[in-house]
Structure formats: C-alpha cells, structure tokens
Amino acid sequence: MNLFQTIFTGSNQAVSAAEGLLKQAIEQKGRDHKVAFPDTAYALPVIYAATGIKITTLGELEGAIGIVKSLIVEELQLTQALNAGLATAVSAEIIEAIKYAMNETPYEAPCAGHISDPIIRSLGVPLVTGDIPGVAVVLGECPDSATAAKVIKDYQSKGLLTFLVGKVIDQAIEGNVKMGLELRVIPLGYDVTSVIHVVSVAIRASLIFGAVEPGKLDKHMEYTKNRVPAFVNAFGPLSELVVSAGAGAIALGFPVITDQVVPEVPTLLLTQKDYDKFVATSLEARGIKIKITELPIPVAFAAAFEGERIRKEDMYIEFGGAKTECWELLRKKELSEIEDHKIEVIGPDIDSVEGDTKRLPMAVIVDVAGKNMQEDFEPVLERRIHYFMNYTEGVMHVGQRDTAWIRVGKEAFEKGFRLKHFGEILYAKMLDEFDTVVDKCQVTIITDAEKVKALKAEYAAPRYAARDARLASLTDESVDTFYSCKLCQSFAPAHVCIVTPERLGLCGAVSWLDAKATKELDPTGPCQPILKEGVEDEVKGIWKSVNEYVEENSQGAVGRVTLYSLMEDPMTSCGCFECIAGIMPEANGVIIVNREFPGETPVGMRFGELASMTGGGVQTPGFMGHGRYFISSKKFISAEGGTARIVWMPKELKESVREKLNQTAKEVLGIDDFVDMVCDETIATDPEKVLEFLTEKGHPALTMDSIM
C-alpha cells in the first residue's frame, strides 16, 4: 500500500467511525439533542471555518458527514490526499463533539480535551512576543519513557507549547514531566481523534486573531500555514488513521516528523531515527529559531515555567508574602558606578536557615548603566524581574516592588539553587533583553532583616514615590508623541494599537513608557512614535497623523480611528484583549466583561460571542476590546461620557478596579463610591433587573443623553 492509499484508508476508517457513532448517538438522544464544545463562540470550529455553518444538534451533524465524504476522492494526487487528510480532521471533530454531547465530562485529569476560547486568547501575547516560539504536537508512543521525557522537556525548556496525544501521556507522567497549561505541556487525550483539539486551536486563531471569514477554508489554511508555527511528532507504529491525520496536519501547513520509515515529502513529512536530533529536526522543518541564553544555574530556565506554582508542601523557603519584608528595585547608575557582573549576597543564604518553615526577608537591587539608559525605563526593566525569576524551574514569583512574594521549591534547592543564582539570572537577562540600553549590570541580594528595612526607607520608597508622581503627570495632553504597537500583527495583520499615556495596549501588557522603551531597544520594531499632528477632534481623540499611520500599517484595512470613542470608529482589536466594552441601550450605558468571566452578560452574549464581533482588526461601533487598567482612565470612552456610562461588570473585575475607578469617578463626577452603583452578576444579569438596580442606586447613566 503506497502513502496515498494509506491516507485514503485512514480517512475512510475515520468517516465510518464518525458515521457509526453518530447513528448510535441519535438513537439514544434524538436528532435534536444539542452538540457543542464548552466555552467557545465558534460552535464546532473546524466545520464552522470550512463551511460557515454552526452545527448545534446531532441531526445537523448528518450533513457534516456528507461534507467529509465529498472530500475523499481516491485519486493518487497530492491535492486529493491532503483533502482526505482534512476529511479525517472533520471526522475527528464529529467524533469528539459526540463525546461531549453524550457525556458532560468526557475528559478527566490529566487530559484536557477541548481548549476554551479564553485560553486561546490568553496565549495570544506570548505567541506574538516569542515567549512561546512554537507549538509541538507529540503523538503516539516513544520507545520508552526516558525518550519521551527527554523530547518533551527539551520543547518545554525552549518555551514551546506542547500538546500530547496517546500513550506518550503515560510516558510523560512516568518520566516526571511537569504538565499543565501553566507549564505549557498539555495532555489532550489518549484517542487519536483528540488531536483535533489542537487543530481547533489553530483554526480558532484564524477566526479570533485573523478575522478570517467562516466558510473560506482556503484562507484559513493559508493563515495556519503562515501564522501558526506548529508541527507534529508522530512516534511509534503509524496506523492508517494516524497517517491520514498527519495528512490533515500537512494540509494546514504543519510538517510531520516521525521515527518510522515513510516515503518522505521534503519539509513536510520527514523521518528522524535519531531521538537526540528529533527536536532540532522538528524546529528546522517549521523554521522555528530559538534564542537561548546560557545561564550558570543548576535548574532549567524557560518561559514555560512562568506559571509554575510552588505549593507549601513543595516549598523549601519563601520570602515576602506578607510574612517577611520583600522588595525589589532597579536603578539607573553611571557607568563608573557599576562593577559589571558583580553579584553580592548580604545576609544568610537559603542553606543556612533552620526550622520546618523557612522564611527570610529579601531585597533585590539591580543596578544598570548604559549610554542610552533613561530613568523612565527603570520601571519597565524592573517589571521584568518578575518574569525572569518565574522562568526559573522551581521558583515562584508573585507581585512587584514591595509586594513581592518568592518561593523556592525543595527540588530546586536539592539541585543546588542558591541566592547567587538569582543574581546570575538577572544579570544575564538584563544584558540579553536590554542590550541597547544596558551596558553594565550588578546585582545585590540582601537578606539581613535590619538592612532590608533600612534600605527600603533609604532607596526603594523614595524611588517608588518619584515614579508614581511621574506617571501621574503623564497625560495625553502633556506629551507630543503617541506610540504604535504592532506586536500582534503576526496574528492579526489588520490591527494596529495606538498607545497613549492614558490608554495602554488592549492586551494590558504595553504602557506608553513600555512602548517608548521598546522603541529604544528595537528602533525598527513594533513600537514607533506618532507625532500628534493635525488634530481633528480632541474630544473623540482624532488626529490626522494617527489615521495616516493606522491606514498605512493596517495595509489599508482601517482608515480612521478615534481613541476616546466607543460609537465612532473605535480602535481595532487583535483578539488578546483583556476586556470588552459593549453598549447596553436599555441602561443608556456600557457593560464591561473580562475574558476570565464564563457567564452570560446583560446584553445576552458571553465574552467569546462578544469577542467574535471585535477581534482580528475589525471595527464594530458600540463594542471595543481594551485592557483592564483603561477602565479607570479619564479617557475611557470619554467622548460618550466616560466613567458615568459603566453600568455592569463581573464581580471579580469590579473589585479589581474598585479603588482606581472610585478615584476617577470622584475627580470627574464628584461621586463617592461609584463602583457600588455598578451592577454585577451576583446582583443581576437580566436587563430589566439590572435597570431596576441602576434606578435604585440613581446611576448617572440613566439621566445622560442617549448613548445611541
């Protein structure tokens, strides 16, 4: 049997299995029984992207079976073989959808199954920044657990997002691979068909970030090939079903690398028998380049460890967390004041602390110097301390400034991790990531309790206060330059963020100072200055220079944006926004929902449904993606009345912005405790009941001019 015949056999097996399972499901549940994957606005995403049809019932799946069969044309040509691979993918989605229709929890730990929309959106920023340089799908069974663990840990150490399918999951467990979304190693399921859940991630990236129209399969395939850096590793004997699934991956632009002997297709289907070369071959096949900074530390270091949590029972020692003093400070110094690569530990190291519960105070002072370094860059670089420490295997870092909380795990301690290694990490990464502004760096780590307290009062507190005053003085009116951010264009080519002092990037990760620093670090990079020229409307936030920049850099997709209006040419979004604001006409105001909130909002839609209207560089008047901190800005939809228009938010979001939003409302509206006038899901989501609550509270939106 040649390769094409193997693919066709596997595709026929897949559609036969899907058809049989569907028949059984209809017999048990009926044709009107609901079909859906949880927490997605895109129905069955592969079918929706291919046909433009949202499947909602078992009966409607019968039509999808017909589509699958039409894709299988047994002619010995590459195009027909790849189409048959796509047929296998659709069959797999049908099978997996039926699992969810027949069982509320078809997957149990450690397997994840379907990946929700909010998770995909949360991955947007690390994918575009390169913190996640690629996506690996490891399928099948390696020769042994040691080989599986070596391959998976190698991907993890390089920061890749790795999905596991099949017996390799058990091998990873046996090989002590740290797994979970937060560690970027996600077991999907043991059945081959569960691989569709990573295909679904790629397709939804096209729908969410690329705003590719449902029904245009060729455009979705073009998007996944050019913008989703994924590949497949297929281990062990390859069944016809696995081979046909591999053809589906290749059709989407994802090369397949296997340890089995197969007829090779250059750059697309490769054999690699040497397991030591498997990772390198895979990265090369997909064109993924990894920049590695060698660190003299005894544990692994990678962005994949950012989400690792050190629980109390696994902790060797902790600093801060309201138990001891813990603060960190980065200072600009003159070149003559710094001894490059000096790392000094003042006070006891972690191996000298006794007792069952080990705690120490800590101060981390990072001094940097460089001819292009500016004081405005201090907080930008200082915030990276959080990430650099979190990228360390066996270390957990939470908070910043004087609210830092650090834990070191027992395993890291046993491998030899000590305080000096924090210094090595910070030294190396400051010079690596900020080489255009940092020429020299030294790190001082203090655990002497008296010195930690005294130096906070002498150095840290005054510096924090000065920075806060500087930030408070930065307004859109006080600067003559805004900045662009085009980081997300690798996924959303029509989107351009405009970052101002009072409007940070919609992902929540890029402030005006961040953008200014990024311009210095990468002069031709994603953040470019835009002079405020040709003002057309200061209330709505319209400048000719901004419009010209957006039109040119969105490839003509967007010609006009307003920076302060929701109703007229609102700024576009990529898809990784933290929140969405949308009009609620009945209340004459806006609701705001964050991506973590899973429930329905008073406008009758969940976050995912709202997001499908606003992402991918699309302008939808009345709806807008934005960052959390923009909510308390005086410029938040100020053209429509700003803060006074906010009528509903999820409870968690409301509490997180309470202090700053109350402060803004007091300054702008003269209202005390404004947040108590804002409804949330614990009070009401029904529009009429929301309106009753607002009326009872005397919410200002009810007496304002019509928002429409």
Side-chain angles (χ1 to χ4, degrees), residues 643-680:
T643 300
R645 292 288 188 181
I646 302 172
V647 298
W648 188 94
M649 286 189 279
K651 179 78 170 176
E652 182 275 327
L653 179 63
K654 193 167 86 168
E655 293 306 317
S656 74
V657 300
R658 174 180 289 275
E659 183 179 350
K660 290 187 176 179
L661 186 56
N662 274 341
Q663 182 180 338
T664 300
K666 178 65 174 175
E667 290 182 33
V668 176
L669 305 173
I671 296 175
D672 290 312
D673 300 319
F674 171 76
V675 172
D676 291 336
M677 302 175 115
V678 178
C679 194
D680 63 56

Side-chain angles (χ1 to χ4, degrees), residues 320-348:
K323 307 283 195 318
T324 64
E325 191 89 66
C326 188
W327 54 270
E328 50 206 25
L329 179 69
L330 184 139
R331 304 182 298 186
K332 172 187 177 293
K333 294 283 188 178
E334 297 299 321
L335 287 164
S336 60
E337 296 178 284
I338 288 184
E339 180 182 336
D340 191 41
H341 205 169
K342 179 183 178 182
I343 297 170
E344 186 178 11
V345 177
I346 300 172

Side-chain angles (χ1 to χ4, degrees), residues 205-337:
S206 179
L207 289 162
I208 291 170
F209 301 110
V212 178
E213 188 178 337
K216 296 189 175 180
L217 180 59
D218 57 334
K219 295 295 183 183
H220 287 286
M221 292 167 64
E222 181 183 341
Y223 183 95
T224 57
K225 177 183 178 181
N226 295 328
R227 298 185 183 276
V228 181
F231 57 86
V232 177
N233 288 168
F235 290 103
L238 304 178
S239 67
E240 290 92 345
L241 184 58
V242 170
V243 172
S244 63
I250 291 171
L252 294 169
F254 308 150
V256 177
I257 301 87
T258 178
D259 59 349
Q260 305 298 298
V261 177
V262 295
E264 293 197 16
V265 180
T267 74
L268 296 177
L269 179 60
L270 306 173
T271 294
Q272 177 53 269
K273 304 288 284 185
D274 186 341
Y275 295 102
D276 289 337
K277 297 179 180 177
F278 221 91
V279 170
T281 300
S282 301
L283 296 176
E284 183 180 349
R286 195 61 177 107
I288 298 171
K289 296 179 181 179
I290 308 291
K291 181 181 178 182
I292 298 175
T293 304
E294 293 295 334
L295 297 171
I297 61 174
V299 295
F301 183 89
F305 296 109
E306 181 187 349
E308 184 178 11
R309 290 292 172 261
I310 308 298
R311 306 197 182 281
K312 191 173 183 180
E313 58 270 22
D314 301 319
M315 177 189 79
Y316 180 79
I317 193 168
E318 72 178 337
F319 310 85
K323 307 283 195 318
T324 64
E325 191 89 66
C326 188
W327 54 270
E328 50 206 25
L329 179 69
L330 184 139
R331 304 182 298 186
K332 172 187 177 293
K333 294 283 188 178
E334 297 299 321
L335 287 164
S336 60
E337 296 178 284

Side-chain angles (χ1 to χ4, degrees), residues 306 308-310 326-328 362 364 382-392 395-401 403-407 422:
E306 181 187 349
E308 184 178 11
R309 290 292 172 261
I310 308 298
C326 188
W327 54 270
E328 50 206 25
M362 182 190 278
V364 179
E382 187 176 285
R383 282 200 300 276
R384 295 300 291 173
I385 294 174
H386 165 78
Y387 294 97
F388 297 154
M389 286 194 175
N390 262 337
Y391 291 172
T392 310
V395 172
M396 182 186 83
H397 183 286
V398 177
Q400 59 179 323
R401 284 191 173 188
T403 61
W405 178 27
I406 304 167
R407 281 182 169 178
F422 281 131

Side-chain angles (χ1 to χ4, degrees), residues 374-377 379-380 383 470-485 497-506 508-520 527-532 563-564 629:
Q374 300 176 26
E375 282 194 7
D376 272 351
F377 299 165
V380 177
R383 282 200 300 276
R470 166 71 170 138
L471 283 172
S473 71
L474 280 175
T475 64
D476 288 5
E477 288 78 18
S478 69
V479 300
D480 60 7
T481 304
F482 294 155
Y483 286 90
S484 69
C485 181
C497 243
I498 304 300
V499 182
T500 80
E502 296 181 80
R503 179 173 187 152
L504 80 169
L506 55 88
V510 182
S511 70
W512 186 83
L513 286 177
D514 291 323
K516 181 182 178 185
T518 301
K519 166 62 178 172
E520 285 290 334
C527 296
Q528 294 297 316
I530 305 171
L531 290 175
K532 289 167 53 183
L563 301 186
Y564 313 138
Y629 288 110

Side-chain angles (χ1 to χ4, degrees), residues 230 277 298 308 352 410 418 439 474 490 509 530 572 576 590 605:
K277 297 179 180 177
E308 184 178 11
S352 63
K410 293 175 182 176
R418 300 296 183 267
D439 299 324
L474 280 175
S490 58
I530 305 171
T572 60
C576 52
V590 301
M605 291 183 279

Side-chain angles (χ1 to χ4, degrees), residues 63-112:
I65 294 289
I67 294 170
V68 174
K69 290 181 176 179
S70 72
L71 286 169
I72 304 173
V73 179
E74 297 188 34
E75 297 175 358
L76 302 184
Q77 298 176 5
L78 180 59
T79 299
Q80 305 298 3
L82 295 180
N83 282 344
L86 292 173
T88 302
V90 177
S91 295
E93 186 168 63
I94 292 170
I95 291 169
E96 291 296 308
I98 293 170
K99 286 183 184 179
Y100 278 90
M102 304 299 285
N103 187 341
E104 287 187 10
T105 54
Y107 286 93
E108 296 180 353
C111 298

